[in-house]
CSV table of all heavy atoms in Angstrom, one decimal:
chain,number,residue,atom,x,y,z
A,1,GLY,N,84.9,105.9,106.9
A,1,GLY,CA,84.8,107.0,106.0
A,1,GLY,C,84.3,108.2,106.8
A,1,GLY,O,84.6,108.4,108.0
A,2,ILE,N,83.4,109.0,106.2
A,2,ILE,CA,82.8,110.1,107.0
A,2,ILE,C,81.3,109.9,107.2
A,2,ILE,O,80.6,110.8,107.7
A,2,ILE,CB,83.1,111.5,106.2
A,2,ILE,CG1,82.4,111.4,104.8
A,2,ILE,CG2,84.5,111.8,106.2
A,2,ILE,CD1,82.4,112.8,104.1
A,3,GLU,N,80.9,108.7,106.8
A,3,GLU,CA,79.4,108.5,106.7
A,3,GLU,C,78.9,107.7,107.9
A,3,GLU,O,77.8,108.0,108.4
A,3,GLU,CB,79.1,107.8,105.4
A,3,GLU,CG,79.3,108.6,104.2
A,3,GLU,CD,78.3,109.7,104.0
A,3,GLU,OE1,77.2,109.6,104.4
A,3,GLU,OE2,78.7,110.7,103.5
A,4,ALA,N,79.5,106.6,108.2
A,4,ALA,CA,78.9,105.6,109.2
A,4,ALA,C,79.6,105.6,110.5
A,4,ALA,O,80.8,105.7,110.6
A,4,ALA,CB,78.9,104.2,108.6
A,5,GLU,N,78.8,105.6,111.6
A,5,GLU,CA,79.3,105.5,112.9
A,5,GLU,C,78.8,104.3,113.6
A,5,GLU,O,77.7,103.9,113.6
A,5,GLU,CB,78.9,106.8,113.7
A,5,GLU,CG,79.5,106.8,115.1
A,5,GLU,CD,79.3,108.2,115.8
A,5,GLU,OE1,79.7,109.2,115.2
A,5,GLU,OE2,78.7,108.2,116.9
A,6,LEU,N,79.8,103.6,114.2
A,6,LEU,CA,79.5,102.3,114.9
A,6,LEU,C,79.9,102.5,116.4
A,6,LEU,O,80.9,103.1,116.7
A,6,LEU,CB,80.4,101.2,114.3
A,6,LEU,CG,80.4,101.0,112.8
A,6,LEU,CD1,81.4,100.0,112.4
A,6,LEU,CD2,79.0,100.7,112.3
A,7,VAL,N,79.1,101.9,117.2
A,7,VAL,CA,79.4,101.9,118.7
A,7,VAL,C,79.2,100.4,119.2
A,7,VAL,O,78.4,99.7,118.7
A,7,VAL,CB,78.5,102.9,119.5
A,7,VAL,CG1,78.7,104.3,119.0
A,7,VAL,CG2,77.0,102.5,119.3
A,8,GLY,N,79.9,100.1,120.3
A,8,GLY,CA,79.7,98.8,120.9
A,8,GLY,C,80.6,98.7,122.1
A,8,GLY,O,81.2,99.6,122.6
A,9,PRO,N,80.6,97.4,122.6
A,9,PRO,CA,81.4,97.2,123.8
A,9,PRO,C,82.8,97.4,123.6
A,9,PRO,O,83.3,97.3,122.4
A,9,PRO,CB,81.0,95.7,124.2
A,9,PRO,CG,80.5,95.1,122.9
A,9,PRO,CD,79.9,96.2,122.1
A,10,PRO,N,83.6,97.7,124.6
A,10,PRO,CA,85.0,98.0,124.4
A,10,PRO,C,85.8,96.9,123.7
A,10,PRO,O,85.5,95.7,124.0
A,10,PRO,CB,85.6,98.2,125.8
A,10,PRO,CG,84.4,98.5,126.7
A,10,PRO,CD,83.2,97.8,126.0
A,11,VAL,N,86.6,97.2,122.7
A,11,VAL,CA,87.4,96.3,122.0
A,11,VAL,C,88.9,96.8,122.1
A,11,VAL,O,89.1,98.0,122.0
A,11,VAL,CB,86.9,96.0,120.6
A,11,VAL,CG1,87.1,97.3,119.7
A,11,VAL,CG2,87.7,94.9,119.9
A,12,VAL,N,89.8,95.9,122.3
A,12,VAL,CA,91.2,96.2,122.3
A,12,VAL,C,91.6,96.9,121.0
A,12,VAL,O,91.3,96.5,119.9
A,12,VAL,CB,92.1,95.0,122.6
A,12,VAL,CG1,93.6,95.3,122.5
A,12,VAL,CG2,91.8,94.4,124.0
A,13,PHE,N,92.4,98.0,121.2
A,13,PHE,CA,92.9,98.7,120.0
A,13,PHE,C,94.3,99.2,120.4
A,13,PHE,O,94.5,99.9,121.4
A,13,PHE,CB,92.0,99.9,119.6
A,13,PHE,CG,92.6,100.8,118.5
A,13,PHE,CD1,92.5,100.4,117.2
A,13,PHE,CD2,93.2,102.0,118.8
A,13,PHE,CE1,93.1,101.1,116.2
A,13,PHE,CE2,93.7,102.8,117.8
A,13,PHE,CZ,93.7,102.3,116.5
A,14,SER,N,95.3,98.9,119.6
A,14,SER,CA,96.7,99.4,119.8
A,14,SER,C,97.4,99.5,118.5
A,14,SER,O,97.0,99.1,117.5
A,14,SER,CB,97.4,98.5,120.8
A,14,SER,OG,97.5,97.2,120.3
A,15,HIS,N,98.7,100.0,118.7
A,15,HIS,CA,99.6,100.1,117.5
A,15,HIS,C,100.8,99.3,117.9
A,15,HIS,O,101.8,99.9,118.4
A,15,HIS,CB,100.0,101.6,117.4
A,15,HIS,CG,98.9,102.6,117.2
A,15,HIS,ND1,98.4,102.8,115.9
A,15,HIS,CD2,98.2,103.3,118.1
A,15,HIS,CE1,97.4,103.7,116.1
A,15,HIS,NE2,97.3,104.0,117.3
A,16,PRO,N,100.9,98.0,117.6
A,16,PRO,CA,102.0,97.2,117.9
A,16,PRO,C,103.3,97.6,117.1
A,16,PRO,O,104.4,97.3,117.5
A,16,PRO,CB,101.6,95.8,117.7
A,16,PRO,CG,100.4,95.9,116.8
A,16,PRO,CD,99.8,97.2,117.0
A,17,SER,N,103.1,98.2,115.9
A,17,SER,CA,104.2,98.7,115.1
A,17,SER,C,103.8,99.9,114.3
A,17,SER,O,102.6,100.2,114.2
A,17,SER,CB,104.8,97.6,114.3
A,17,SER,OG,104.0,97.3,113.2
A,18,VAL,N,104.7,100.4,113.5
A,18,VAL,CA,104.4,101.6,112.7
A,18,VAL,C,103.4,101.3,111.6
A,18,VAL,O,102.6,102.1,111.2
A,18,VAL,CB,105.7,102.2,112.1
A,18,VAL,CG1,105.4,103.3,111.1
A,18,VAL,CG2,106.6,102.6,113.2
A,19,THR,N,103.4,100.0,111.1
A,19,THR,CA,102.5,99.6,110.0
A,19,THR,C,101.4,98.7,110.4
A,19,THR,O,100.8,98.1,109.5
A,19,THR,CB,103.4,99.0,108.9
A,19,THR,OG1,104.0,97.8,109.5
A,19,THR,CG2,104.4,99.9,108.4
A,20,ARG,N,101.2,98.5,111.7
A,20,ARG,CA,100.1,97.6,112.1
A,20,ARG,C,99.3,98.2,113.2
A,20,ARG,O,99.7,98.9,114.1
A,20,ARG,CB,100.8,96.3,112.6
A,20,ARG,CG,101.5,95.6,111.4
A,20,ARG,CD,102.0,94.2,111.8
A,20,ARG,NE,102.6,93.4,110.8
A,20,ARG,CZ,102.9,93.6,109.6
A,20,ARG,NH1,102.6,94.7,109.0
A,20,ARG,NH2,103.5,92.7,108.8
A,21,ILE,N,98.0,97.7,113.2
A,21,ILE,CA,97.1,98.0,114.4
A,21,ILE,C,96.6,96.7,114.9
A,21,ILE,O,96.6,95.7,114.2
A,21,ILE,CB,95.9,98.9,114.0
A,21,ILE,CG1,95.1,98.3,112.9
A,21,ILE,CG2,96.4,100.3,113.6
A,21,ILE,CD1,93.7,98.9,112.7
A,22,ARG,N,96.2,96.7,116.1
A,22,ARG,CA,95.6,95.5,116.7
A,22,ARG,C,94.1,95.9,117.1
A,22,ARG,O,93.9,96.9,117.7
A,22,ARG,CB,96.3,95.1,118.0
A,22,ARG,CG,95.7,93.9,118.7
A,22,ARG,CD,96.4,93.5,119.9
A,22,ARG,NE,95.7,92.5,120.6
A,22,ARG,CZ,95.9,92.2,121.9
A,22,ARG,NH1,96.8,92.8,122.6
A,22,ARG,NH2,95.2,91.2,122.4
A,23,VAL,N,93.2,95.1,116.6
A,23,VAL,CA,91.8,95.2,116.9
A,23,VAL,C,91.3,93.9,117.5
A,23,VAL,O,91.4,92.9,116.8
A,23,VAL,CB,90.9,95.6,115.7
A,23,VAL,CG1,89.5,95.8,116.1
A,23,VAL,CG2,91.5,96.9,115.1
A,24,GLY,N,91.0,93.9,118.7
A,24,GLY,CA,90.7,92.6,119.4
A,24,GLY,C,92.0,91.8,119.5
A,24,GLY,O,93.0,92.3,119.9
A,25,ARG,N,92.0,90.6,119.1
A,25,ARG,CA,93.2,89.7,119.1
A,25,ARG,C,93.9,89.7,117.8
A,25,ARG,O,94.9,88.9,117.7
A,25,ARG,CB,92.8,88.3,119.6
A,25,ARG,CG,92.2,88.3,121.0
A,25,ARG,CD,91.9,86.9,121.3
A,25,ARG,NE,91.4,86.8,122.7
A,25,ARG,CZ,91.0,85.8,123.3
A,25,ARG,NH1,91.0,84.6,122.7
A,25,ARG,NH2,90.6,85.8,124.6
A,26,THR,N,93.4,90.4,116.8
A,26,THR,CA,94.0,90.3,115.5
A,26,THR,C,94.8,91.5,115.1
A,26,THR,O,94.4,92.6,115.4
A,26,THR,CB,92.9,90.1,114.4
A,26,THR,OG1,92.1,88.9,114.8
A,26,THR,CG2,93.5,89.8,113.0
A,27,VAL,N,95.9,91.3,114.5
A,27,VAL,CA,96.8,92.4,114.0
A,27,VAL,C,96.6,92.6,112.5
A,27,VAL,O,96.6,91.6,111.8
A,27,VAL,CB,98.3,92.1,114.4
A,27,VAL,CG1,99.2,93.2,113.8
A,27,VAL,CG2,98.4,92.0,115.9
A,28,TYR,N,96.4,93.8,112.1
A,28,TYR,CA,96.2,94.1,110.7
A,28,TYR,C,97.3,95.1,110.2
A,28,TYR,O,97.6,96.0,110.9
A,28,TYR,CB,94.8,94.8,110.5
A,28,TYR,CG,93.7,94.0,111.0
A,28,TYR,CD1,93.2,94.1,112.3
A,28,TYR,CD2,93.1,93.0,110.1
A,28,TYR,CE1,92.1,93.4,112.7
A,28,TYR,CE2,92.0,92.3,110.6
A,28,TYR,CZ,91.5,92.4,111.9
A,28,TYR,OH,90.5,91.7,112.3
A,29,ARG,N,97.7,94.9,109.0
A,29,ARG,CA,98.7,95.8,108.3
A,29,ARG,C,97.9,97.0,107.7
A,29,ARG,O,96.8,96.7,107.1
A,29,ARG,CB,99.5,95.1,107.3
A,29,ARG,CG,100.6,96.0,106.7
A,29,ARG,CD,101.5,95.2,105.8
A,29,ARG,NE,100.8,94.8,104.6
A,29,ARG,CZ,100.6,95.6,103.5
A,29,ARG,NH1,101.0,96.8,103.5
A,29,ARG,NH2,100.0,95.1,102.4
A,30,HIS,N,98.3,98.2,107.9
A,30,HIS,CA,97.6,99.4,107.3
A,30,HIS,C,98.6,100.1,106.5
A,30,HIS,O,99.8,99.8,106.4
A,30,HIS,CB,97.0,100.2,108.4
A,30,HIS,CG,98.0,100.8,109.4
A,30,HIS,ND1,98.9,101.8,109.1
A,30,HIS,CD2,98.3,100.4,110.7
A,30,HIS,CE1,99.6,102.1,110.1
A,30,HIS,NE2,99.3,101.2,111.1
A,31,ASP,N,98.1,101.1,105.8
A,31,ASP,CA,98.9,102.0,104.9
A,31,ASP,C,99.1,103.4,105.4
A,31,ASP,O,99.7,104.2,104.7
A,31,ASP,CB,98.2,102.0,103.5
A,31,ASP,CG,98.1,100.6,102.9
A,31,ASP,OD1,99.2,99.9,102.8
A,31,ASP,OD2,97.0,100.2,102.6
A,32,GLY,N,98.7,103.6,106.6
A,32,GLY,CA,98.9,104.9,107.2
A,32,GLY,C,98.1,105.1,108.5
A,32,GLY,O,97.0,104.6,108.6
A,33,CYS,N,98.7,105.7,109.5
A,33,CYS,CA,97.9,106.0,110.7
A,33,CYS,C,98.4,107.3,111.3
A,33,CYS,O,99.6,107.6,111.4
A,33,CYS,CB,98.2,104.9,111.7
A,33,CYS,SG,97.3,105.0,113.3
A,34,HIS,N,97.4,108.2,111.6
A,34,HIS,CA,97.8,109.5,112.2
A,34,HIS,C,96.5,110.0,112.9
A,34,HIS,O,95.4,109.5,112.7
A,34,HIS,CB,98.2,110.4,111.0
A,34,HIS,CG,97.2,110.5,109.9
A,34,HIS,ND1,96.0,111.3,109.9
A,34,HIS,CD2,97.1,109.8,108.7
A,34,HIS,CE1,95.4,111.1,108.8
A,34,HIS,NE2,96.0,110.2,108.1
A,35,PRO,N,96.7,111.1,113.7
A,35,PRO,CA,95.6,111.7,114.4
A,35,PRO,C,94.6,112.2,113.4
A,35,PRO,O,95.0,112.7,112.3
A,35,PRO,CB,96.2,112.8,115.2
A,35,PRO,CG,97.6,112.4,115.4
A,35,PRO,CD,98.0,111.7,114.1
A,36,ALA,N,93.3,112.1,113.7
A,36,ALA,CA,92.3,112.6,112.7
A,36,ALA,C,92.4,114.1,112.7
A,36,ALA,O,92.7,114.8,113.7
A,36,ALA,CB,90.9,112.2,113.2
A,37,LEU,N,92.2,114.7,111.5
A,37,LEU,CA,92.2,116.1,111.3
A,37,LEU,C,91.1,116.8,112.2
A,37,LEU,O,90.0,116.3,112.2
A,37,LEU,CB,92.0,116.5,109.9
A,37,LEU,CG,93.1,116.1,108.9
A,37,LEU,CD1,92.6,116.5,107.5
A,37,LEU,CD2,94.4,116.8,109.3
A,38,GLY,N,91.5,117.8,113.0
A,38,GLY,CA,90.5,118.5,113.8
A,38,GLY,C,90.3,117.9,115.2
A,38,GLY,O,89.6,118.5,116.0
A,39,SER,N,90.8,116.7,115.4
A,39,SER,CA,90.5,116.1,116.7
A,39,SER,C,91.7,115.1,117.0
A,39,SER,O,91.9,114.1,116.3
A,39,SER,CB,89.2,115.3,116.7
A,39,SER,OG,89.1,114.6,117.9
A,40,MET,N,92.4,115.4,118.1
A,40,MET,CA,93.4,114.5,118.6
A,40,MET,C,92.9,113.3,119.3
A,40,MET,O,93.7,112.5,119.8
A,40,MET,CB,94.4,115.3,119.4
A,40,MET,CG,95.1,116.4,118.7
A,40,MET,SD,96.2,115.9,117.4
A,40,MET,CE,97.5,115.1,118.3
A,41,LEU,N,91.6,113.2,119.5
A,41,LEU,CA,91.0,112.1,120.2
A,41,LEU,C,90.8,110.9,119.4
A,41,LEU,O,90.5,109.8,119.9
A,41,LEU,CB,89.7,112.5,120.9
A,41,LEU,CG,89.8,113.7,121.8
A,41,LEU,CD1,88.4,114.1,122.4
A,41,LEU,CD2,90.7,113.4,123.0
């Protein structure tokens, strides 16, 4: 959200398809993915 910030050791993050992200070794279905407003990072 806009409230909590988490930091930690590097974890794999990718977009294997338009409707899925990969975090670590697991792929999750999402409902939307786009650059954050105000920051392309």
Side-chain angles (χ1 to χ4, degrees):
I2 59 168
E3 297 287 330
E5 186 168 303
L6 310 174
V7 297
V11 65
V12 171
F13 175 77
S14 65
H15 304 272
S17 76
V18 175
T19 60
R20 296 187 176 1
I21 59 166
R22 178 179 175 201
V23 179
R25 294 181 177 177
T26 307
V27 175
Y28 302 93
R29 188 174 65 81
H30 60 76
D31 299 304
C33 183
H34 51 84
L37 294 176
S39 175
M40 297 297 287
L41 301 178

